[in-house]
């Protein structure tokens, strides 16, 4: 039986990756390591927490002694590293936290893998899950390819670029077997309501203002989170050593257009008069250093690994809105902070 470490598995994307691996690979033991920051929520994994091939470990990737001990205890065959600080606005107010978790934490994991695998890299793999934001902003109508030079503009993207560079440096310097993927903006169930889509769904539902940064002209390329999880499975199992794969849905939306679609769909779903939710749109001060456009060329993963997004955006956004409307309790718990008691109730008492 192979033992795989997934970091950040209680977060948005990580929870979908953990679920997919636990359900799909009964011959893998999946260890989910998560510090349960404000973004980590074990309620996201309620349906699989009792599966025999799933283990949760609460811990911080920046805690060197804990991480080395974890690698000793489990003798991992592979690592899929998602744990990170992930929100650009938070990185603007607290860059150091991003440096610490995203760069320092990643280097601790790299050291632990190198030490644990002791140059015997047969069958081992360190997979770093990264973002398209490392490439900066493509304002001229082009696309990010795997050859695009890094040009990060926010403290978040600078920290992800730094961690990508360290991962490649460990492959180059120590021969560590690695793979990296850089994905566009994800949306779907379990996303903390600070990012655009879940925040706006929540605000529309509660008739609160929708804070559009600047003129709402920035463009993002949106991918349904389960399509990202499927891509991660493929890259982990079939991606070539030392390669990078860009993941994206060829699905660009200007923020304002996307917001108007959400307003329209939610008016219909909530039985509100057409145009009601759009009235909540409120233009606010632009984000500092706001990247204008992200656009991924995903041809490499499509052609080499046979991946393609399974959902059209209209279907994905409708499913996502339904999920948040049906999971009001989840939203209430994460917005009030009550979800953080879940670990204490479900895990600490059990031990
Ligand atoms: P998230 O913020 O929802 O989840 C991050 C998880 O990491 C949380 O469960 C948190 O508790 C955990 N974590 C944070 N600091 C930790 C630490 N020091 N030790 C252990 N665990 C810690 O993030 P997400 O949106 O699911 O993103 C996951 C990964 O995918 C990140 O690396 C992010 O950069 C990358 N990514 C995200 C997107 C996106 O659109 N959300 C797109 C591309 C890539
Ligand atoms: P976000 O979900 O924070 O993702 P990222 O910054 O990583 O792309 O933001 C998506 C886009 O929406 C981005 O252009 C910023 C914009 N935005 C708003 O206009 N208002 C908001 O309240 C938020 C959170 C984002």
């Amino acid at each position: 039986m192979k033992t795989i470490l997934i970091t950040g598995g209680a977060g948005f994307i990580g929870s979908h990756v953990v679920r997919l691996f636990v359900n799909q690979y009964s011959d893998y033991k999946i260890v989910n390591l998560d510090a349960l920051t404000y973004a980590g929520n074990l309620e996201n994994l309620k349906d699989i927490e009792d599966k025999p091939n799933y283990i949760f470990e609460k811990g911080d990737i920046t805690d060197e002694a804990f991480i080395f001990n974890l690698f000793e205890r489990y003798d991992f065959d592979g690592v899929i590293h998602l744990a990170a600080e992930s929100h650009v606005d938070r990185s603007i107010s607290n860059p150091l936290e991003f440096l610490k978790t995203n760069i320092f934490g990643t280097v601790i994991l790299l050291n632990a893998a190198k030490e644990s695998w002791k140059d015997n890299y047969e069958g081992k793999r360190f997979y770093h899950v990264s973002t398209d934001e490392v490439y900066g902003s493509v304002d001229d109508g082009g696309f990010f390819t795997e050859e695009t030079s890094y040009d990060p503009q926010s403290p978040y993207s600078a920290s992800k670029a730094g961690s990508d560079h360290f991962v490649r440096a460990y492959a180059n310097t120590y021969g560590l077997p690695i793979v990296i993927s850089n994905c566009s903006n994800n949306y779907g169930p379990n996303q903390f309501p600070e990012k655009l889509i879940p925040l706006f769904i929540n605000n529309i539902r509660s008739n609160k203002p929708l804070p559009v940064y600047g003129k709402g002209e920035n463009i993002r390329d949106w991918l349904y989170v389960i399509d990202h999880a499927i891509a991660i499975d493929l890259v982990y199992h079939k991606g070539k050593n030392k390669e990078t794969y860009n993941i994206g849905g060829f699905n660009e939306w200007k923020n304002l257009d996307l917001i108007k679609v959400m307003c329209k769909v939610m008016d219909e779903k909530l039985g509100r008069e057409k145009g009601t939710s759009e009235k909540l749109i409120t233009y606010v001060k632009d984000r500092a250093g706001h990247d204008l456009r992200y656009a991924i060329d995903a041809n490499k993963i499509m052609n080499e690994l046979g991946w393609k997004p399974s959902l059209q955006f209209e279907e994905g956004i409708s499913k996502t809105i339904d999920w948040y409307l049906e999971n009001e309790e989840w939203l209430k718990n994460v917005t009030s902070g009550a979800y953080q008691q879940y670990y204490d109730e479900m895990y600490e008492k059990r031990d």
Side-chain angles (χ1 to χ4, degrees):
M1 187 180 241
K2 288 198 168 188
T3 307
I4 315 246
L5 172 65
I6 299 183
T7 70
F12 167 46
I13 302 170
S15 61
H16 293 281
V17 176
V18 166
R19 177 175 298 99
L20 187 151
F21 272 70
V22 165
N23 286 334
Q24 194 136 302
Y25 301 107
S26 55
D27 54 333
Y28 286 179
K29 189 193 290 172
I30 301 299
V31 179
N32 171 15
L33 165 70
D34 199 295
L36 301 182
T37 68
Y38 79 95
N41 182 359
L42 284 175
E43 283 189 61
N44 294 342
L45 293 164
K46 246 184 195 162
D47 56 319
I48 57 137
E49 67 188 8
D50 290 323
K51 294 254 178 169
N53 61 337
Y54 172 69
I55 297 169
F56 176 69
E57 288 276 355
K58 184 177 177 187
D60 192 320
I61 57 168
T62 66
D63 180 344
E64 191 172 15
F66 172 83
I67 293 297
F68 272 69
N69 177 270
L70 190 80
F71 274 75
E72 257 173 45
R73 281 193 282 135
Y74 287 103
D75 192 17
F76 297 115
D77 295 284
V79 178
I80 304 179
H81 174 35
L82 295 108
E85 286 294 334
S86 67
H87 188 42
V88 174
D89 292 327
R90 284 180 191 257
S91 81
I92 294 169
S93 33
N94 191 358
L96 208 53
E97 196 59 33
F98 282 67
L99 184 154
K100 190 176 165 219
T101 296
N102 299 358
I103 302 185
F104 187 68
T106 299
V107 176
I108 286 177
L109 284 170
L110 287 165
N111 279 342
K114 177 166 101 48
E115 175 67 22
S116 161
W117 297 337
K118 292 200 172 41
D119 299 332
N120 181 7
Y121 292 136
E122 189 59 37
K124 310 286 198 237
R125 167 154 276 186
F126 189 104
Y127 177 2
H128 187 225
V129 175
S130 192
T131 167
D132 62 351
E133 301 188 26
V134 298
Y135 298 122
S137 181
V138 262
D139 301 357
D140 63 357
F143 289 88
F144 300 133
T145 73
E146 288 78 0
E147 275 71 49
T148 303
S149 301
Y150 277 27
D151 187 19
Q153 300 294 318
S154 73
Y156 164 64
S157 53
S159 69
K160 292 297 289 187
S163 52
D164 283 0
H165 288 322
F166 267 103
V167 173
R168 290 199 183 92
Y170 271 61
N172 185 55
T173 310
Y174 309 110
L176 195 80
I178 63 110
V179 68
I180 297 177
S181 60
N182 297 84
C183 188
S184 63
N185 287 60
N186 284 214
Y187 70 99
N190 298 354
Q191 189 170 30
F192 193 84
E194 62 182 353
K195 307 266 168 66
L196 179 73
I197 290 184
L199 175 73
F200 278 39
I201 294 174
N202 196 22
N203 285 11
I204 293 171
R205 190 183 56 90
S206 346
N207 272 310
K208 284 195 197 147
L210 305 175
V212 175
Y213 297 163
K215 294 186 180 146
E217 283 174 348
N218 305 67
I219 294 168
R220 296 293 181 265
D221 176 0
W222 294 94
L223 181 69
Y224 193 62
V225 64
I226 292 174
D227 280 324
H228 187 192
I230 293 168
I232 289 174
D233 178 12
L234 266 177
V235 170
Y236 182 75
H237 288 104
K238 303 225 164 79
K240 286 197 204 121
N241 188 35
K242 288 171 86 166
E243 291 282 317
T244 295
Y245 296 88
N246 280 354
I247 306 170
F250 290 107
N251 178 43
E252 289 179 53
W253 285 85
K254 201 183 266 191
N255 288 344
L256 199 55
D257 294 340
L258 173 77
I259 292 160
K260 286 184 177 166
V261 168
M262 286 198 288
C263 289
K264 180 171 167 283
V265 174
M266 286 196 66
D267 280 346
E268 284 160 15
K269 289 189 191 285
L270 295 169
R272 291 179 181 169
E273 199 183 316
K274 207 170 153 199
T276 309
S277 301
E278 260 194 52
K279 293 195 188 115
L280 298 168
I281 291 177
T282 310
Y283 293 93
V284 299
K285 191 167 173 274
D286 207 354
R287 173 187 278 171
H290 198 170
D291 285 339
L292 181 61
R293 173 173 171 261
Y294 300 145
I296 275 274
D297 177 343
N299 274 305
K300 179 175 172 183
I301 187 169
M302 288 173 149
N303 295 335
E304 291 185 16
L305 305 185
W307 174 85
K308 66 174 192 324
S310 65
L311 277 190
Q312 292 294 318
F313 185 69
E314 287 66 20
E315 194 186 346
I317 197 72
S318 170
K319 271 174 86 133
T320 302
I321 291 170
D322 285 344
W323 187 86
Y324 285 97
L325 293 180
E326 283 158 17
N327 288 276
E328 234 177 277
E329 194 64 20
W330 184 95
L331 259 178
K332 216 171 77 204
N333 285 347
V334 292
T335 34
S336 70
Y339 70 105
Q340 299 208 321
Q341 287 155 16
Y342 188 78
Y343 170 78
D344 297 340
E345 282 160 18
M346 299 306 292
Y347 285 81
E348 295 240 292
K349 275 191 198 149
R350 213 190 260 182
D351 296 338

